[in-house]
Amino acid sequence: MDIFLQQMVNGLLLGSIYALVALGYTMVYGILGLINFAHGDIVMVGAMVTLSTIGVLEGHLPIGVILLVACLVAIVVCVLMGLLLERVAYRPLRHAPRLAPLITAIGVSLLIQYSAALIWGKQYIALPELFKPSQYVWAGVEINALQIFIFVLALLIMASLALFVKHTRLGRAMQATEQNADSATLMGVNTTGVIALTFAIGAAIGAVAGVMIDLYYGQAHYFMGFLLGLKAFTAAVLGGIGHIGGAMLGGLLLGVIESLSAGYIGDLTGGLFGSNYRDVFTFFVLIGVLMLRPSGLLGRATTERA
Amino acid sequence: MLRFDLKNIVLCLSLTVFLSACGQKSNDTHIIKIGSASPLTGAQAHIGIDIRNGVELAIEAVNQTGLRLADKPVKLELAAEDDEANATKATTVAQKLVDAKVVGVVGHFNSGASIPASKIYADAGIPQISPASTNPDYTLKGYKTTFRVVAHDGQQGPALAHFALDQLHAHAIAIIDDSTSYGQGLADNFEATVTAAGAKVVAREHTTDKDTDFKAILTKIKGKNADLIMFGGIDPQAGPMKKQMVELGIKAALMGGDGMQTPNFIKLAGSAAEGSFASIPGLPKEKMPGGPAFLTQYQAKYKTEVQLFAPMGYDAVMVLVEAMKRANSSDPAKYLPEIKKTQYQGIIGPIAFDEKGDLVNGPITIYQVKSGQWVALENSKSPVPETNPTPAASPDKSKK
């Protein structure tokens, strides 16, 4: 039982990071109908910038301050990158056929990856051990303070985003743009500004996810955005792409499914499939969900974008 | 009379010029190229560059003393290529070296690169000495051109297994590999030996060489109460793995092969690295017969520490050169048979090859992380010198 609980905890933690990254995919998709494949790489840049900032500041300031500053620097860099991408790569293509921005997104993704490889090198970069988080054991489940912090912060970010979109003027403008950009413009919504804001928020959350990955795994690599982006995109689709709550649910669910399948596939199939079939199983679940609910778990079936 | 003399003088002069030109030609230094192939970029660049540096040092040393073959001075030249630790790139690079008419190649680093490249060198008849590839399959292809100056996993796996059983008294062992031909080969050989000795393998798990999250696998292993976890793979995975073991409260030690015995592992795992075990083919670099002198020389030139395989790279060049001297030729067809007869006292110790091209009696050393440093524990001579190594049952694309 304690092993099962531990697997759930592992899954939820992994899932909360997937969920944060998935938000970036789903928000942009909701508004533009565009899959921004470069989003995973923005997260990578966030992780890299954090490591560099920590490397510069280490030993000069208290640890809490260093982390806060590093996180802020990462957010600023990622937001600027998100805005630049939107302005340079996607805005000129807003009325182009749908394939054009998609291909551009893949190109931008490669551009960011290899620029990062030039700047930070192709090696795995380690996070220096800043502090030792206190470890707790509860019902046989091992968890440390850092992991609890990551999980709570992820939930807080998701909750505040949901509140922001639902209850603020800007949030309502985002919803209006999502429902129908042309009508929103007629109603006086500055849709161009709203789209830029969407990219900025997605990038900022991505930056925080990057910081979390640094802290959780203790390393970053120029290529890490690819697999992460793929998983987060899967999470967004699982939950219903374009739906903010769906991205959160999809992310957490994907994390748990991965964790449980890696943990139990081998024993359940009598060793026929090992833990290396984790991803196979995960995508099997995705296909199953999409067959029953083509628009994802929480997606609206009516969502039909221009 | 005068005219005749002049004619004679002109004739003499031109003859002298002609002869001296001939003389110059026969004294002209013959330049031959030695290839070096290893990952010079990417996650394993630090290890690949280390190998290239070792090769470069050896070439400089040979040129300094001056090499003469068939009464002609010969100058060695380095042709270093980057295989990016990638099987496909490795074959491209191998072809490039063959086309550049290298007379011998020191490389590659990764087994997954050395194996596919070996066919290209074999077809061209160019000797290949790998300084670091430990997968048994590398020398099992039946090529006459394939050699290595490290112990192979068929020796490293059993050495680790015997250490685990005899010294650590492990009863319940969990094994993880990274699904590469190196990682899986090492893990398979380890598993074969511990099972044969009657120890219990409680879990056999697989991950990939891109993964960073091993919590699910490790939690499962925790549930099986393993007292030792063996990982066949390299440091970018081993580091976070050890860290996550500590986070999950797993008390078992982590043990791995040479891919994990790097300063990078300690950096990536942080304080969690403490107590981990790893083996390295060969003696500790400080304890190699030519070690201390080599380390000083290396440090002076490259202003950095030797990572792992620079001494093997150095010796590989020397083995090639010694064979050329005995054959009195740098023609691969002529000096290749001489490599088989190598009896060379290198930096890493005595070098001789068996009929497959494997290093005879390659020593293996076990290390443990103690206060943030890899410390050599014992020099466990390869306990089973020539058993039939289990070929890795890996579906790796590099093994066609």
Side-chain angles (χ1 to χ4, degrees), chain B residues 97-325:
Chain B
L97 287 172
V98 169
D99 294 344
K101 305 231 172 336
V102 296
V103 297
V105 173
V106 178
H108 300 214
F109 165 58
N110 310 75
S111 296
S114 290
I115 295 170
S118 65
K119 178 171 187 344
I120 293 171
Y121 300 125
D123 288 349
I126 294 174
Q128 172 192 13
I129 303 184
S130 172
S133 292
T134 52
N135 190 304
D137 283 1
Y138 169 60
T139 48
L140 292 179
K141 303 272 170 197
Y143 301 140
K144 289 186 166 50
T145 47
T146 312
F147 302 88
R148 66 175 126 209
V149 286
V150 284
H152 58 76
D153 296 339
Q155 299 162 320
Q156 207 184 157
L160 275 172
H162 284 284
F163 180 79
L165 299 173
D166 304 340
Q167 311 283 323
L168 303 179
H169 306 291
H171 300 296
I173 301 171
I175 302 174
I176 309 173
D177 70 59
D178 68 354
S179 311
T180 63
S181 57
Y182 162 74
Q184 197 160 352
L186 183 66
D188 285 347
N189 279 299
F190 176 84
E191 187 176 12
T193 313
V194 287
T195 335
K200 202 169 158 218
V201 174
V202 291
R204 179 66 207 261
E205 302 292 331
H206 310 273
T207 176
T208 70
D209 59 346
K210 309 250 172 341
D211 238 328
T212 47
D213 191 300
F214 311 104
K215 285 226 163 156
I217 293 180
L218 292 172
T219 302
K220 181 179 171 188
I221 288 172
K222 191 186 177 191
K224 310 259 182 191
N225 293 319
D227 55 9
L228 178 73
I229 298 178
M230 187 270 172
F231 175 59
I234 53 174
D235 52 15
Q237 277 68 47
M241 184 179 290
K242 184 69 221 277
K243 206 169 166 174
Q244 289 165 27
M245 280 169 62
V246 172
E247 281 174 11
L248 288 170
I250 296 176
K251 302 278 186 298
L254 181 69
M255 165 185 263
D258 52 335
M260 185 176 126
Q261 204 276 13
T262 62
N264 216 24
F265 167 75
I266 298 174
K267 226 159 98 190
L268 290 171
S271 58
E274 233 25 52
S276 304
F277 299 96
S279 65
I280 274 214
L283 296 165
K285 54 192 181 192
E286 298 79 16
K287 287 187 187 159
M288 289 173 181
F294 180 78
L295 295 186
T296 330
Q297 197 192 349
Y298 187 99
Q299 179 91 34
K301 181 160 165 71
Y302 299 106
K303 313 279 176 253
T304 172
E305 260 186 73
V306 169
Q307 289 277 343
L308 276 176
F309 294 109
M312 287 74 161
Y314 187 98
D315 280 352
V317 175
M318 291 309 180
V319 165
L320 290 174
V321 169
E322 288 302 315
M324 288 178 204
K325 281 186 192 162

Side-chain angles (χ1 to χ4, degrees), chain B residues 49-67:
Chain B
I49 291 171
D50 195 47
I51 293 173
R52 188 209 53 199
N53 289 350
V55 172
E56 193 174 54
L57 268 184
I59 288 178
E60 278 173 14
V62 171
N63 285 340
Q64 220 156 38
T65 40
L67 175 66

